[in-house]
Amino acid sequence: MLYDRILLTGAAGLLGTELRKRLAPKVKFLRSTDIAAMSDPAPNEELITADLGDLAVAESLVKDIDAIVHFGGLSKDADFASICRVNIVGFQSLYEAARLAGVKRVVFSSSVHAIGFYDQMHVIGTDVPARPDSNYGVAKAFGENLAQLYWDKHGLETVSVRIGSCEPKPSTRRHLLTWLSFDDMWQLVERSLSVPRVGHTIIYGASDNSATFWDNRLASHIGYRPKDSADAWQSEIHAADPHPGREDIVNRLQGGIFAK
Ligand code: 15L
């Protein structure tokens, strides 16, 4: 990897916990932060309990950091005021602090909810305009736009990873399109911190699922080659949920392809 001193936000979450384990052995210094307390730091790891919506903390979080793996923020069940405070205002203050501290790159956990109202009968690339399916998706689209601004205006690079459903294994028909394995998620982060130039790149975070309608060709410079696929669970999932329709129809009828 190109960077030695990493800040990981959202470090106590499901994905953050995976990332802590995998990042620590690869870097000189890892600062892991979350609003929830964490334990058992690696020898090169500093743990900080902090609220990303608290604007006073951003400066201390980014001090002496080369790159940020930003997986923090509120999830899609949060109310809009809270999403605004943490995922929009808190996000901007983190970027501004990062710029002032000379941070070189951010890996941002965007989400497929930023484009969740696209119809999956047509393949979409990473260059389509946002089409959010929720306030949470609007905030992710804001995040991608802010990342673009910080690249264009200040030269701070970002890879915005539109993460699908990153879970230990796929368990629903929807996951046959959206699933991202932990190993493939790690590959996305590792590649994003290793390639020499990313500018602001948007990439879909999904495993090699044959039902996908997301096209990552514009992000091929990241070198992401997913190794896993939800296809291996297809028969099991269809047997457990013998719906007569296709996954896309099922999702559309639920009021948005990423509605659960
Ligand atoms: C997301 O963006 C959420 O953070 C995650 O909790 C899942 O709900 C995922 O999308 C999904 O839609 O499966």
Side-chain angles (χ1 to χ4, degrees):
M1 295 203 302
L2 294 173
Y3 305 100
D4 277 338
R5 300 179 63 87
I6 305 280
L7 168 68
L8 171 65
T9 70
L14 180 68
L15 310 196
T17 304
E18 279 299 314
L19 287 171
R20 272 184 72 195
K21 283 190 288 204
R22 298 180 193 228
L23 275 168
K26 296 275 180 195
V27 297
K28 274 201 189 122
F29 173 71
L30 176 64
R31 179 174 295 144
S32 296
T33 185
D34 201 287
I35 195 164
M38 292 164 284
S39 54
D40 301 323
N44 58 341
E45 185 183 25
E46 177 186 13
L47 300 181
I48 298 186
T49 306
D51 176 356
L52 290 174
D54 174 357
L55 305 188
V57 299
E59 194 182 325
S60 55
L61 290 180
V62 298
K63 190 170 184 310
D64 300 324
I65 288 298
D66 301 325
I68 303 175
V69 179
H70 180 51
F71 274 56
L74 297 176
S75 197
K76 57 187 200 306
D77 303 324
D79 61 88
F80 186 60
S82 309
I83 285 183
C84 263
R85 185 179 75 84
V86 179
N87 297 18
I88 294 184
V89 179
F91 185 91
Q92 194 277 339
S93 75
L94 188 70
Y95 261 77
E96 183 58 10
R99 174 183 82 79
L100 293 171
V103 171
K104 304 283 182 295
R105 190 174 292 184
V106 180
V107 184
F108 164 44
S109 68
S110 184
S111 168
V112 290
H113 292 276
I115 47 88
F117 262 118
Y118 275 95
D119 179 330
Q120 67 267 56
M121 309 235 234
H122 303 101
V123 172
I124 55 170
T126 53
D127 56 344
V128 294
R131 205 164 161 183
D133 60 14
S134 52
N135 289 329
Y136 170 78
V138 169
K140 293 295 187 184
F142 168 86
E144 293 181 2
N145 278 318
L146 194 90
Q148 187 67 49
L149 171 67
Y150 271 73
W151 165 242
D152 288 335
K153 195 166 177 185
H154 304 298
L156 170 53
E157 294 192 302
T158 298
V159 180
S160 293
V161 186
R162 288 181 178 162
I163 296 180
S165 307
C166 190
E167 305 196 0
K169 63 173 215 162
S171 56
T172 65
R173 281 179 174 262
R174 178 176 168 274
H175 288 168
L176 295 174
L177 287 76
T178 61
W179 187 60
L180 173 67
S181 71
F182 287 158
D183 284 351
D184 286 341
M185 184 269 295
W186 166 243
Q187 190 198 142
L188 277 161
V189 171
E190 196 273 334
R191 296 305 307 149
S192 298
L193 293 172
S194 300
V195 295
R197 187 167 166 92
V198 300
H200 175 223
T201 298
I202 297 175
I203 188 166
Y204 291 108
S207 286
D208 187 18
N209 310 323
S210 50
T212 193
F213 66 107
W214 300 322
D215 181 349
N216 262 337
R217 273 178 301 175
L218 286 174
S220 59
H221 53 282
I222 300 295
Y224 171 56
R225 303 280 179 271
K227 300 267 188 298
D228 295 313
S229 170
D231 297 12
W233 281 270
Q234 183 175 318
S235 321
E236 193 182 303
I237 289 171
H238 282 184
D241 178 13
H243 193 285
R246 291 173 49 196
E247 283 72 25
D248 53 10
I249 309 287
V250 174
N251 282 303
R252 277 163 66 83
L253 290 176
Q254 286 173 345
I257 51 179
F258 294 109
K260 280 191 172 168

